[in-house]
Amino acid sequence: MDIKVRVWRQSGPTAGGKMVTYDVKGISPDASFLEMIDVLNETLILNGDDPIAFDHDCREGICGACSMVINGVAHGPEKATTTCQLHMRKFKDGDVIDVEPWRAAAFPVIKDLVVDRSAFDKIIQAGGYITAPTGTAPDAHAAPVPKKDADAAFEAATCIGCGACVAACPNGSSMLFTAAKIAHLGLMPQGQPERDSRVIDMLQAQDDAGFGGCTNAGECTTVCPKGIPLSLIGRLNSDYRKAISKR
Amino acid sequence: MVANEFWAEGEPVVDKAAPDGPVETRWERRKFSAKLVNPANRRKLTVIVVGTGLAGGSAAATLAEAGYRVKSYCYQDSPRRAHSIAAQGGINAAKNYRNDGDSVYRLFYDTVKGGDFRARESNVYRLAQVSVNIIDQCVAQGVPFAREYGGLLDNRSFGGTQVSRTFYARGQTGQQLLLGAYQAMERQIGLGNIEMNARHEMLELIIVDGKARGIVVRDMVTGEITTEFADAVVLASGGYGNVFFLSTNAKGCNVTASWRAHRKGALFANPCYTQIHPTCIPESGSHQSKLTLMSESLRNDGRVWVPKRAEDCQKPAGEIAEEDRDYYLERIYPSFGNLVPRDIASRAAKNVCDEGRGVGPGGLGVYLDFADAIKRLGRKAVEAKYGNLFEMYERITGEDPYETPMRIYPAVHYTMGGLWVDYDLQSTIEGLFVVGEANFSDHGANRLGASALMQGLADGYFVLPNTISNYLANGPFPAVSETDAPVVEARKEVEDRIAKFLSIDGDRTVDSFHRELGQIMWEYCGMERTEEGLTKAIGLIRALKEEFWTRVKVPGKGEELNQNLEKAGRVADFLELGELMCIDALHRRESCGGHFRAESQTSDGEALRHDDEFGYAAAWEYFGADGKPTLHKEDLNFEYVHPSTRSYK
């Protein structure tokens, strides 16, 4: 396939950026999107140009590092798929493809397509855990967990922390990310003692980190590669109301 | 002999921390004899932990909970992205919740045997003992393991064993366990007990007065080089599978932290023991940047086959009649069938492909077929068990495994070798501890499925926190300063190396060298190794290394985010490691576990060990001035599980 990509190039956090067009010729439809960028970068290096910086690591859709807005959609056109799992067979010969970084106030650009997502870690620090220091645990079978709760907790826990939800949100809100962790831990009996403080502290942390408010636009769940449902935000709001009413 | 061109032999290496007496009580006795650090004194002691995967994340969290000051480093943008996250299948523990005859002793036995009698009994027994605590710990953290309708934990069986002892969270067990450790870590970061440095890469070890006292790191965003000090350094930097370029490792996984320590005196043990995983998605073309593993739990229900006749290989699978299919694992290994250990399944796949009976592009693939399982259990049940894996397969290949059988082929997946450590997980450099895949300790020559997660968490949650106190009890050590000679020197080495990379300005990219190295390693130091091939590989690697240092082109500057500069440092170290791996493989003239020497096989093509000659761990000292690494042998004694030939027939 022969395609053109228009890529956001920005040399550093404070530099201005712009879209630059590159030709990519003879790419296999079986190549992944990132492999297409690899091939382009090899050419750029040998031509003495600066290769495109982008985050990626596992290339299996699980580490959450890759993060490209492709043709205006976080992670691109394929549903429930991270950038690294998107393959060129989803495009046509002759396509012109726009590639941009996540754009959100809380995710400043570091270089080209690389952004700083450390604000997500700040939200987890505020309460996205169960306090269980090593060595304190009772036997794993001491407290059975109904299968349906365990399965629902697992579904919420599949969030990979990529930040597509934030990139897609018109407000740059991290509500889906936070809601997924609140649901994961709140659905398990182990998570109950800290349930109230968790939701209050995590919401405060996401405000402090510069994420916008949630207006139920629902763009987040549409781009989520793991299909985290919007209903978890309702669950979070319900938890929050209960928690503040006890204060 | 040809070999002596390549290595020298030194004094044996002895594990001085190893306790003796009955194996069941060794760990208890070691914990009791280890010196402790009073809780009030712990905050005066600083520990550096490099890497935030299962071993590093759990170690950092646990040490911080205990009251030590922890400084943690990872190359990813968040500790949550360490490659443990990609582990799919599960984690073993000797809980015997199935009442199927499992026990600590049986897990110990299976692991020593599965490792082909090249691991230490004391370490493996301890691993089996603490396995039960890991599950308790993870459940307390809220890890959403799979459960049964009664609310109790579910188990499944895994390759190489005959009991169900594997705990899992669908096909994302590593992710869930890592998030547990990550969340425990983030809690400690929030409390100010861990100083977290993401997007920082360790480029050198600092040794002062013979003790590991710090590291030189590069801030990968600004390019700033800093020196960081501590009372002890823990490496949890993972394995070195990316020496093959194509592997199931994440793209960033590298050997640099371990290799820098090795260059400074830490012995590197059994580098030739690499695990080739049998169930990966085959390569699709020259653009291939990595390979993707499909959890071997798929072998529980999937049946592996190839056509009986080479001329059938081009036909669609559905057009090949049942009687024309060769279910070769079931045929050759009737008692274990599709669940034979990984090394055996991988080599069997290579053999049928070498016979010309492989399927898919280039004939490098075998079928993994779920048609029978779907008939027996129903599509829904298969979907519940493996749904996400099937989806992953379809996304990558464009084929639907519910309709056509998957195509799989072996790929490099895990490295059993690593820095040599004693029973306390301390390397041959005082104060340098190594945990998880980065060390060599528990899997011998071959790792069983679902044992990597177990070992990473055992080391980080339960072993290291108990053994490191014995060392730290001698501290705090005298303060180290930026101006101390070893610190200045280590920093200068890093700066000079970066300057060198940027100044060569050649005509080949870093990736092109990495790819070429990978091809050499896969061809000559992959699933089957020969004296001739390994000797050739050493020559090829040496020539490639020379070419690298004269022709590599690294664009950009040092003082910025520069991903090619990062890669250049890693590939330079892989080039040295690759040579050592080939030398180790050359010296070990036997077949054991993941190391198959064609010259050492039985008449029916099975691996042939030579316990009398090679019943030791090979710990290598860095290439000396004469360019030869020095071999130090650690004798392995088997008091409980007596070496026998592994038979899965």
Side-chain angles (χ1 to χ4, degrees):
Chain A
M1 297 166 65
D2 295 342
I3 52 158
K4 280 186 198 305
V5 283
R6 294 192 300 195
V7 184
W8 181 258
R9 302 305 309 263
Q10 179 175 339
S11 61
T14 55
K18 60 174 190 215
M19 299 295 278
V20 178
T21 305
Y22 302 98
D23 283 311
V24 185
K25 291 200 189 313
I27 199 82
S28 160
D30 288 326
S32 73
F33 198 82
L34 297 186
E35 285 166 347
M36 181 272 292
I37 303 277
D38 289 342
V39 170
L40 170 59
N41 272 344
E42 292 288 284
T43 316
L44 293 178
I45 294 168
L46 293 177
N47 289 344
D49 294 328
D50 201 22
I52 300 158
F54 62 100
D55 266 327
H56 65 100
D57 206 18
C58 77
R59 299 200 177 193
E60 294 182 12
I62 193 74
C63 77
C66 62
S67 42
M68 294 182 187
V69 173
I70 300 165
N71 286 339
V73 180
H75 287 310
E78 194 174 2
K79 283 284 282 182
T81 301
T82 55
T83 304
C84 67
Q85 295 285 284
L86 177 65
H87 283 69
M88 295 311 292
R89 67 178 78 94
K90 299 288 166 182
F91 298 90
K92 296 192 307 291
D93 191 49
D95 275 0
V96 180
I97 305 168
D98 285 350
V99 190
E100 296 168 84
W102 282 178
R103 296 191 190 278
F107 289 165
V109 172
I110 293 173
K111 184 178 180 182
D112 297 338
L113 305 173
V114 178
V115 301
D116 178 356
R117 285 171 287 193
S118 54
F120 266 6
D121 295 325
K122 294 262 177 4
I123 297 174
I124 299 297
Q125 277 160 36
Y129 49 76
I130 288 169
T131 299
T134 306
T136 57
D139 184 86
H141 271 176
V145 181
K147 181 169 166 53
K148 93 174 158 32
D149 294 345
D151 287 351
F154 173 82
E155 292 294 346
T158 58
C159 166
I160 57 173
C162 63
C165 48
V166 178
C169 178
N171 312 317
S173 171
S174 57
M175 202 60 133
L176 193 68
F177 169 79
T178 305
K181 191 46 63 188
I182 296 280
H184 160 211
L185 301 175
L187 280 159
M188 313 278 281
Q190 306 91 304
Q192 300 312 310
E194 293 163 297
R195 186 165 170 177
D196 293 345
S197 59
R198 179 181 304 123
V199 67
I200 292 172
D201 294 345
M202 287 177 79
L203 285 188
Q204 186 62 51
Q206 75 175 16
D207 288 349
D208 294 348
F211 291 103
C214 173
T215 53
N216 293 320
E219 297 287 339
C220 50
T221 189
T222 318
V223 297
C224 176
K226 298 297 150 180
I228 304 290
L230 198 62
S231 60
L232 296 189
I233 294 180
R235 195 175 187 283
L236 177 150
N237 286 326
S238 159
D239 269 17
Y240 185 67
R241 275 194 301 279
K242 282 183 210 149
I244 47 169
S245 69
K246 292 184 202 160
R247 285 229 158 157
Chain B
M1 197 180 75
V2 59
N4 287 327
E5 273 176 61
F6 296 109
W7 74 86
E9 191 166 339
E11 292 297 306
V13 56
V14 180
D15 176 4
K16 295 195 187 87
D20 50 18
V23 74
E24 297 84 0
T25 58
R26 284 179 194 167
W27 177 225
E28 279 309 311
R29 280 181 293 119
R30 179 61 192 131
K31 281 194 284 184
F32 187 73
S33 68
K35 282 181 265 181
L36 299 176
V37 180
N38 171 323
N41 285 338
R42 292 179 198 160
R43 75 178 75 97
K44 298 173 195 158
L45 293 157
T46 305
V47 180
I48 282 174
V49 182
V50 180
T52 59
L54 286 178
S58 60
T62 304
L63 292 171
E65 285 161 4
Y68 297 107
R69 285 170 38 188
V70 176
K71 296 207 259 185
S72 175
Y73 300 83
C74 68
Y75 72 77
Q76 299 88 347
D77 71 326
S78 164
R80 68 178 292 149
R81 307 209 200 281
H83 191 55
S84 305
I85 198 121
Q88 296 170 0
I91 177 165
N92 287 330
K95 282 285 197 184
N96 194 28
Y97 283 160
R98 293 279 125 170
N99 194 30
D100 60 0
D102 200 12
S103 62
V104 166
Y105 197 89
R106 187 175 296 279
L107 176 53
F108 157 69
Y109 176 92
D110 287 348
T111 307
V112 170
K113 181 183 170 212
D116 224 359
F117 304 94
R118 293 294 177 263
R120 278 187 207 135
E121 284 190 332
S122 299
N123 286 55
V124 176
Y125 197 90
R126 173 176 68 188
L127 177 68
Q129 281 175 308
V130 303
S131 69
V132 297
N133 306 108
I134 295 169
I135 302 303
D136 298 343
Q137 177 62 30
C138 295
V139 166
Q141 290 170 342
V143 169
F145 283 118
R147 288 179 184 265
E148 302 193 304
Y149 284 99
L152 300 178
L153 295 164
D154 193 14
N155 288 117
R156 59 185 171 201
S157 63
F158 239 71
T161 63
Q162 289 175 309
V163 294
S164 281
R165 62 160 74 98
T166 305
F167 296 78
Y168 67 100
R170 202 166 302 165
Q172 283 140 272
T173 316
Q175 178 195 33
Q176 295 308 318
L177 296 175
L178 184 65
L179 292 180
Y182 158 75
Q183 287 163 198
M185 232 187 128
E186 287 296 334
R187 177 169 167 264
Q188 292 301 317
I189 295 168
L191 292 168
N193 300 329
I194 298 178
E195 176 199 304
M196 183 67 227
N197 302 280
R199 291 200 200 268
H200 278 71
E201 183 164 26
M202 168 183 163
L203 295 178
E204 198 52 85
L205 179 70
I206 296 171
I207 300 177
V208 182
D209 296 332
K211 295 184 173 67
R213 294 301 309 277
I215 57 176
V216 183
V217 295
R218 179 171 179 272
D219 179 330
M220 293 157 71
V221 174
T222 63
E224 190 189 1
I225 307 292
T226 55
T227 48
E228 308 287 336
F229 308 126
D231 294 286
V233 175
V234 179
L235 298 187
S237 43
Y240 50 86
N242 272 349
V243 69
F244 291 88
F245 186 74
L246 289 182
S247 82
T248 67
N249 283 186
K251 291 294 286 175
C253 292
N254 67 84
V255 78
T256 290
S258 294
W259 197 255
R260 297 283 115 194
H262 174 55
R263 289 179 63 117
K264 290 254 163 130
L267 300 185
F268 204 111
N270 300 333
C272 79
Y273 292 160
T274 49
Q275 182 162 77
I276 315 268
H277 196 288
T279 52
C280 301
I281 300 176
E283 259 183 85
S284 72
S286 62
H287 52 263
Q288 195 85 28
S289 61
K290 75 152 291 173
L291 296 168
T292 300
L293 175 148
M294 309 295 293
S295 168
E296 85 180 312
S297 63
L298 291 167
R299 286 198 278 144
N300 277 324
D301 289 303
R303 298 180 68 196
V304 177
W305 64 275
V306 290
K308 280 185 180 162
R309 294 186 299 266
E311 55 269 31
D312 284 349
C313 291
Q314 299 308 318
K315 288 188 193 164
E319 290 175 19
I320 300 170
E322 191 62 28
E323 63 271 19
D324 294 331
R325 301 177 176 192
D326 179 13
Y327 295 90
Y328 58 90
L329 289 177
E330 297 170 27
R331 172 173 58 81
I332 307 171
Y333 307 100
S335 72
F336 278 71
N338 293 297
L339 290 177
V340 292
R342 291 174 174 178
D343 54 329
I344 291 178
S346 292
R347 218 155 42 74
K350 179 186 190 306
N351 290 342
V352 293
C353 292
D354 287 351
E355 289 164 19
R357 295 193 289 142
V359 296
L364 292 177
V366 299
Y367 288 124
L368 180 63
D369 196 338
F370 286 85
D372 283 357
I374 292 170
K375 229 179 280 167
R376 179 164 45 91
L377 307 164
R379 181 178 162 133
K380 250 185 117 171
V382 171
E383 203 174 312
K385 268 185 169 167
Y386 308 114
N388 66 322
L389 298 171
F390 278 37
E391 276 168 40
M392 183 191 242
Y393 181 85
E394 183 168 4
R395 256 196 298 275
I396 293 172
T397 62
E399 294 171 6
D400 176 5
Y402 293 104
E403 300 298 328
T404 42
M406 287 182 177
R407 287 175 295 108
I408 55 167
Y409 198 64
V412 175
H413 170 57
Y414 187 89
T415 50
M416 282 72 71
L419 291 178
W420 185 91
V421 289
D422 64 12
Y423 188 74
D424 284 356
L425 305 183
Q426 187 167 214
S427 72
T428 47
I429 297 173
E430 237 186 299
L432 179 72
F433 292 79
V434 190
V435 294
E437 191 178 346
N439 75 28
F440 88 113
S441 63
D442 296 349
H443 306 296
N446 175 51
R447 178 175 66 73
L448 292 178
S451 283
L453 305 188
M454 171 173 71
Q455 186 227 337
L457 290 180
D459 286 1
Y461 282 133
F462 297 107
V463 179
L464 178 84
N466 281 296
T467 58
I468 200 172
S469 69
N470 187 61
Y471 178 75
L472 291 171
N474 304 321
F477 300 104
V480 178
S481 135
E482 296 279 349
T483 53
D484 290 353
V487 179
V488 173
E489 195 186 312
R491 189 194 173 96
K492 188 168 181 311
E493 282 168 34
V494 169
E495 288 168 346
D496 289 353
R497 207 160 108 104
I498 289 174
K500 174 78 177 160
F501 288 135
L502 293 167
S503 69
I504 297 169
D505 196 26
D507 59 357
R508 281 189 66 176
T509 63
V510 177
D511 272 2
S512 77
F513 283 102
H514 196 176
R515 243 178 229 283
E516 190 173 337
L517 172 66
Q519 281 160 357
I520 297 170
M521 296 303 292
W522 181 246
E523 180 69 25
Y524 301 109
C525 198
M527 277 186 280
E528 188 170 303
R529 297 137 181 207
T530 64
E531 179 167 327
E532 191 192 347
L534 291 163
T535 308
K536 181 171 175 195
I538 293 166
L540 291 171
I541 295 169
R542 285 178 180 170
L544 188 65
K545 185 164 71 178
E546 208 174 300
E547 194 178 337
F548 175 86
W549 285 102
T550 49
R551 285 185 61 188
V552 74
K553 184 176 180 78
V554 181
K557 304 189 297 269
E559 301 79 26
E560 63 176 354
L561 177 69
N562 186 339
Q563 294 173 324
N564 279 277
L565 178 61
E566 295 159 16
K567 284 197 267 193
R570 296 169 191 166
V571 172
D573 290 337
F574 278 137
L575 282 161
E576 293 190 359
L577 167 76
E579 183 177 339
L580 183 67
M581 286 171 69
C582 291
I583 291 173
D584 185 40
L586 181 64
H587 113 280
R588 191 169 283 279
R589 286 174 286 103
E590 66 162 349
S591 297
C592 62
H595 171 64
F596 188 83
R597 277 287 295 265
E599 301 92 342
S600 182
Q601 53 182 310
T602 62
S603 54
D604 54 352
E606 297 296 329
L608 187 61
R609 284 198 329 263
H610 300 294
D611 294 331
D612 292 346
E613 208 182 339
F614 293 103
Y616 59 82
W620 296 93
E621 189 181 330
Y622 185 67
F623 307 79
D626 61 353
K628 287 184 195 176
T630 304
L631 171 65
H632 302 272
K633 296 176 182 174
E634 181 197 339
D635 272 328
L636 298 170
N637 299 308
F638 296 92
E639 297 170 55
Y640 294 87
V641 189
H642 296 292
S644 57
T645 303
R646 287 192 306 163
S647 173
Y648 295 91
K649 289 196 171 176

